[in-house]
């Protein structure tokens, strides 16, 4: 009787893979996915100028117990989600060639975009969070650094901006498809109709998240957002923008040559 009870226990070793998968699914939505959306939304304030962006960064920097919150609710859950996600990606059996169904492709792309998102987020954390942590980049330097790095072009190609757009696309797809998988695995969308509705809704969510991040990247790279290109640029009086920073740097370089 006790052996049977042990096997039925939620924390039995035989149920560990099940619990890890559930925890992996949950952390992908909260806090990792939720923080990604918040982070992209905060970064979008850059389009209002450096003052708005710096103010948003400053508000976050002055959050009480920030290191505890960063590690406890963001970095450690992200690390678990990423490391266990890599394991799932390499353990998975892919059969899109034999059964090229939509869900099989979604399953495969979920693993591929997860690996790409992992690499991209690690690179992004190194470029900004890690350099801030070791004192090589102050928060007020984020905006000029982003303007400079995103606009860098090799033979006319904005390399880093393209890396960011592709990285954001991988994160957006992984998040949206992960939401679908979360609702299915947790028994929220049981019927076919509910699953079709979820696929449509989360597809739109993924597109919105991608456009939010890509729009900010385009702004840092060109000085204009998508809405500026469609409706015309609206200047914010007194705002210091990427265009101002690049013009100032060009003028300084020209003055140094003379």
């Amino acid at each position: 009787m006790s052996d049977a009870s042990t096997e039925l226990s939620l924390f039995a070793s035989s149920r560990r893979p099940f619990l890890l998968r559930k925890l992996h699914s949950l952390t992908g939505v909260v806090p990792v996915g939720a923080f990604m959306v918040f982070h992209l939304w905060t970064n979008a304030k850059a389009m209002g100028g450096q003052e708005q962006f710096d103010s948003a960064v400053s508000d976050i920097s002055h959050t009480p117990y920030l290191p505890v919150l960063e590690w406890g609710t963001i970095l450690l859950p992200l690390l678990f989600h990423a490391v266990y996600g890599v394991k799932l990606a390499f353990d998975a059996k892919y059969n899109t060639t034999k059964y090229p169904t939509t869900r099989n492709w979604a399953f495969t792309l979920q693993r591929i975009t997860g690996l790409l998102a992992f690499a991209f987020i690690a690179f992004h954390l190194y470029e900004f969070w890690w350099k801030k942590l070791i004192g090589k980049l102050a928060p007020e330097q984020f905006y000029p650094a982003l303007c400079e790095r995103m606009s860098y072009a090799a033979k006319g190609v904005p390399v880093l901006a393209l890396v960011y757009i592709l990285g954001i696309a991988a994160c957006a797809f992984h998040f949206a498809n992960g939401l679908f998988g979360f609702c299915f695995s947790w028994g929220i969308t049981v019927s076919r109709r509910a699953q079709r509705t979820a696929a449509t809704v989360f597809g739109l969510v993924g597109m919105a998240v991608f456009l939010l991040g890509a729009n900010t990247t385009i702004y840092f790279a060109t000085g204009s957002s998508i809405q500026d290109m469609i409706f015309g640029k609206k200047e914010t009086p007194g705002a210091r923008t990427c265009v101002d920073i690049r013009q100032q740097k060009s003028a300084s370089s020209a003055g140094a040559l003379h």
Side-chain angles (χ1 to χ4, degrees):
M1 186 73 175
S2 59
D3 291 340
S5 298
T6 301
E7 285 300 316
L8 291 172
S9 170
L10 186 63
F11 299 102
S13 59
S14 60
R15 294 178 64 85
R16 193 170 299 149
F18 170 81
L19 288 174
L20 287 173
R21 283 175 179 270
K22 287 292 185 183
L23 185 58
H24 178 261
S25 173
L26 181 62
T27 54
V29 176
V30 180
V32 175
F35 175 74
M36 178 190 70
V37 175
F38 170 77
H39 184 62
L40 292 175
W41 180 262
T42 302
N43 285 351
K45 294 184 179 181
M47 290 179 282
Q50 184 172 354
E51 292 79 6
Q52 287 190 29
F53 182 82
D54 285 353
S55 176
V57 172
S58 178
D59 288 344
I60 295 171
S61 299
H62 289 90
T63 302
Y65 307 107
L66 181 61
V68 176
L69 290 172
E70 280 185 333
W71 282 99
T73 64
I74 300 169
L75 294 172
L76 289 178
L78 173 61
L79 185 62
F80 165 76
H81 187 82
V83 171
Y84 195 69
V86 170
K87 179 184 185 305
L88 292 177
F90 283 101
D91 287 349
K93 293 179 172 58
Y94 304 99
N95 57 359
T96 50
T97 53
K98 190 174 181 180
Y99 303 105
T101 63
T102 302
R103 290 318 305 164
N104 264 350
W105 273 110
F107 175 88
T108 301
L109 289 174
Q110 183 71 356
R111 270 79 187 151
I112 294 172
T113 55
L115 295 174
L116 292 174
F118 183 21
F120 169 68
I121 292 169
F123 169 72
H124 179 63
L125 286 173
Y126 169 76
E127 282 284 284
F128 292 94
W129 178 80
W130 175 250
K131 288 183 179 179
K132 182 195 78 170
L133 192 67
I134 62 176
K136 286 190 174 182
L137 195 67
E140 61 270 17
Q141 294 175 306
F142 285 178
Y143 191 93
L146 282 162
C147 292
E148 181 180 351
R149 295 176 192 180
M150 294 297 171
S151 61
Y152 169 76
K155 297 183 178 179
V157 179
V159 180
L160 194 58
L162 286 177
V163 168
Y164 264 74
I165 287 175
L166 291 173
I168 292 166
C171 291
F173 178 89
H174 191 76
F175 175 59
N177 194 51
L179 285 172
F180 179 90
F182 172 82
C183 288
F184 178 77
S185 66
W186 286 76
I188 299 171
T189 52
V190 179
S191 68
R192 290 289 182 90
R193 182 179 179 182
Q195 290 168 23
R196 285 196 297 269
T197 302
T200 301
V201 171
F202 294 140
L204 293 173
V205 168
M207 183 61 68
V209 170
F210 169 70
L211 289 174
L212 178 64
N215 194 28
T216 307
T217 303
I218 290 169
Y219 169 79
F220 277 125
T222 66
S224 296
S225 62
I226 294 173
Q227 58 266 34
D228 290 337
M229 298 174 188
I230 297 173
F231 303 109
K233 192 172 181 65
K234 293 182 180 179
E235 298 291 345
T236 304
R240 185 172 185 249
T241 66
C242 281
V243 174
D244 298 325
I245 291 170
R246 284 194 278 272
Q247 287 177 346
Q248 185 179 6
K249 185 176 180 181
S250 297
S252 299
S253 300
L257 292 175
H258 292 294

